Amino acid sequence: MARVPILLVLLAQLFLGRARVRSSSPLPLVLNTWPFKNATEAAWRTLVSGGSPLDAVERGCAQCERQQCDGTVGFGGSPDELGETTLDAMLMDGTTMNVGAVGDLRRIKNAIGVARKVLEHTTHTLLAGESATMFAESMGFINEDLSTDTSQALHLNWLTQNCQPNYWRNVIPDPSKYCGPYKPPSILKQDGSTYKETGNKYGHDTIGMVVVHKMGHTAAGTSTNGIKFKIHGRIGDSPIPGAGAYADDTAGAAVATGDGDVLMRFLPSYQAVEYMRGGEDPAIACKKVISRIQKHFPSFFGAVICANVTGSYGAACNKLPTFTQFSFMVYNSLKNQPTEEKVDCI
């Protein structure tokens, strides 16, 4: 059967759907990665009180930042190899296509709030590192230590375990056995490998959120403190438009979570939205994105959630021995509370 372009679906709803009762519409919609219920509720409250999709995404992600969702969002989690917690975040407005993002943000707790200021008060898309911190301070954010007793203990334990896992390769000393500092050998030993799993536990990760307004306007965003023990200065997929998140009112929105170093190479959120633009159901769009990445990295850790502008949604994930299902949150006008849903990985 030929795919139906998303704009035709919208027109059909406008002209044929007026007789339906209001409660039958699945819009507005809040969708986010992982069972971060409080973030879902915060976004929903913002929407129903008259806030914009962008407001809802910001407040939902900010809720996770304050609560340090699973230790992978906000301050006090995922120390890098120097023991510092740094943050990545992004907001995208699907109506204007404006984006604000920060990467490797240091000593500022409200990363998603700084991303909003980048969007609203600059013509740039992404600010990073110490310069992003300086910008945040100029916008009124407080410079404060993001480390906690928990993050410091994590880092100390990592050092006592010979800095395992880490994200170095083709260096000396052998990064699989020793801590750094590392340097490239005079003649690199090429073993043909392009990717190595560095951990055996997969858990919660970035909060990624999609919001679709009752009028079909979209927004998407992310916030994370990245992977534990990353190389100092590393930025993942979360603040990269089209990788961590993407929104476009003419099609829909999507967000990704998982191994950002792999995910960003495939722009999964952008690709999912483009599949939906071509008429694919959101669940199929998400699956097709995962399948594309599997061809190159069959053991990657990742998941994608997608929603089109009519309120249909879906999710998909890459199946691993310790990651066979992916949980995400849904709240729409057909539900009276945020609901955790699960999808089997492929």
Side-chain angles (χ1 to χ4, degrees):
M1 181 182 295
R3 298 173 185 168
V4 181
I6 195 69
L7 288 176
L8 292 181
V9 175
L10 284 173
L11 289 172
Q13 284 198 338
L14 285 172
F15 290 106
L16 301 177
R18 295 184 185 276
R20 297 177 183 174
V21 295
R22 176 178 288 270
S23 63
S24 67
S25 171
L27 295 177
L29 168 69
V30 174
L31 197 65
N32 63 264
T33 56
W34 309 111
F36 298 146
K37 179 181 177 181
N38 291 341
T40 319
E41 289 179 328
W44 182 260
R45 286 195 304 270
T46 302
L47 267 186
V48 298
S49 63
S52 69
L54 208 60
D55 294 333
V57 173
E58 180 186 359
R59 292 176 191 173
C61 290
Q63 182 72 24
C64 248
E65 291 177 346
R66 288 190 295 271
Q67 292 188 330
Q68 303 166 278
C69 285
D70 204 57
T72 62
V73 181
F75 69 99
S78 302
D80 65 18
E81 64 178 10
L82 299 185
E84 184 178 6
T85 295
T86 60
L87 308 178
D88 298 343
M90 181 185 74
L91 276 170
M92 183 166 186
D93 185 335
T95 303
T96 64
M97 305 305 288
N98 286 332
V99 177
V102 288
D104 188 30
L105 180 68
R106 301 171 182 177
R107 303 183 305 281
I108 304 290
K109 286 185 176 179
N110 183 202
I112 195 74
V114 181
R116 180 74 179 264
K117 296 300 184 184
V118 174
L119 185 153
E120 291 184 335
H121 298 295
T122 82
T123 58
H124 298 316
T125 294
L126 171 64
L127 298 179
E130 290 292 346
S131 298
T133 300
M134 291 175 60
F135 169 80
E137 289 180 289
S138 75
M139 292 289 107
F141 293 87
I142 299 172
N143 187 322
E144 54 190 319
D145 189 2
L146 301 188
S147 297
T148 62
D149 290 344
T150 299
S151 67
Q152 290 173 350
L154 280 170
H155 183 247
L156 181 61
N157 182 67
W158 179 73
L159 290 174
T160 63
Q161 300 297 319
N162 295 322
C163 303
Q164 302 302 310
N166 62 64
Y167 300 90
W168 293 87
R169 64 181 179 185
N170 298 329
V171 292
I172 52 174
D174 183 347
S176 68
K177 298 178 181 178
Y178 307 105
C179 293
Y182 304 105
K183 296 184 181 295
S186 56
I187 301 177
L188 288 178
K189 188 180 197 178
Q190 301 296 335
D191 60 6
S193 64
T194 58
Y195 178 70
K196 177 184 73 173
E197 294 291 354
T198 52
N200 56 12
K201 180 180 178 182
Y202 302 98
H204 297 168
D205 200 276
T206 306
I207 179 168
M209 181 172 284
V210 165
V211 170
V212 185
H213 188 267
K214 63 183 178 181
M215 299 304 293
H217 301 308
T218 62
T222 61
S223 184
T224 185
N225 52 35
I227 52 176
K228 292 182 181 70
F229 319 123
K230 58 183 178 277
I231 296 172
H232 194 61
R234 180 261 191 189
I235 296 174
D237 66 312
S238 296
I240 309 302
Y246 196 76
D248 185 339
D249 283 5
T250 64
V255 294
T257 182
D259 185 342
D261 292 298
V262 170
L263 290 170
M264 72 168 73
R265 303 170 193 178
F266 296 87
L267 297 179
S269 298
Y270 171 80
Q271 189 63 56
V273 171
E274 290 306 300
Y275 282 139
M276 291 188 289
R277 187 190 309 281
E280 292 286 15
D281 176 82
I284 299 300
C286 287
K287 288 180 180 178
K288 290 181 73 171
V289 165
I290 295 296
S291 295
R292 283 170 63 99
I293 304 173
Q294 282 175 334
K295 293 176 183 177
H296 297 272
F297 300 98
S299 297
F300 86 98
F301 168 52
V304 182
I305 59 174
C306 313
N308 64 25
V309 291
T310 70
S312 296
Y313 61 87
C317 51
N318 186 41
K319 187 176 182 179
L320 298 170
T322 53
F323 183 60
T324 59
Q325 276 191 331
F326 171 60
S327 297
F328 60 100
M329 297 300 300
V330 182
Y331 203 163
N332 62 23
S333 61
L334 304 181
K335 302 177 185 294
N336 58 13
Q337 62 183 358
T339 304
E340 180 182 347
E341 297 191 14
K342 297 182 179 182
V343 63
D344 291 330
C345 296
I346 59 173

